[in-house]
Amino acid sequence: MATFSRTVTVDWAGSIREGKGSVKAGTGAFTLPVTFPARIGEPAGHTSPEELMAASHAACYAMALNATLGRKGGSAARTLVTATVTADKSEAGIKLLSSKLKVTAEGLQGVEKTQFAEIAREAEGKCPISNALRGTMTIDVDADVK
């Protein structure tokens, strides 16, 4: 078994409301600005923990989906995955509610189009990020073939 880890560092200055920070991947792949007002309001070019979670869920699911297709003898020329993470802010704080995965496959081969939605749902169960989120959030999969 190969164990691996990834690191992200946040450099934050100031209070929660007026402060700001940057989120930097340990690999150097990205550095993104982050603020609390942008988290719950208009993003204005800033990211949020929820957006980063959506990014990780979409990327992980795309890999799980294509691996599952391959195990079934199929492939897609292209898959487009969008993850939408929904949260609620109340007096008690921010609660993550759901992640909706929308996937469209183009150039599907080796499996019937009618099987794709079932394969897409199966792949969600093989996605490590889905498995980490399940139990605390609702996860939906909307699958389509073009």
Side-chain angles (χ1 to χ4, degrees):
M1 180 191 303
T3 301
F4 61 95
S5 62
R6 298 293 182 263
T7 302
V8 171
T9 301
V10 175
D11 183 357
W12 186 272
S15 69
I16 185 68
R17 298 259 182 220
E18 291 82 29
K20 61 183 176 182
S22 63
V23 178
K24 183 176 183 180
T27 61
F30 62 83
T31 299
L32 302 168
V34 62
T35 66
F36 184 76
R39 180 180 189 181
I40 60 172
E42 287 301 315
H46 293 75
T47 194
S48 68
E50 293 76 16
E51 184 174 51
L52 294 169
M53 181 177 285
S56 67
H57 200 189
C60 181
Y61 176 74
M63 292 177 198
L65 174 62
N66 284 281
T68 303
L69 273 172
R71 283 191 295 277
K72 303 275 185 191
S75 67
R78 179 177 183 226
T79 51
L80 179 62
V81 176
T82 301
T84 303
V85 170
T86 302
D88 182 54
K89 182 184 179 304
S90 68
E91 291 297 319
I94 296 173
K95 178 175 175 49
L96 300 175
L97 302 174
S98 65
S99 183
K100 180 170 184 162
L101 297 166
K102 178 167 178 40
V103 59
T104 302
E106 296 176 2
L108 186 66
Q109 296 180 2
V111 296
E112 296 296 321
K113 287 182 178 185
T114 56
Q115 295 176 290
F116 184 69
E118 181 183 326
I119 293 169
R121 284 189 295 278
E122 180 182 332
E124 187 274 322
K126 297 179 183 308
C127 169
I129 299 297
S130 285
N131 293 334
L133 299 176
R134 195 174 298 105
T136 60
M137 297 172 63
T138 301
I139 301 172
D140 295 311
V141 178
D142 179 12
D144 187 31
V145 177
K146 286 190 175 183

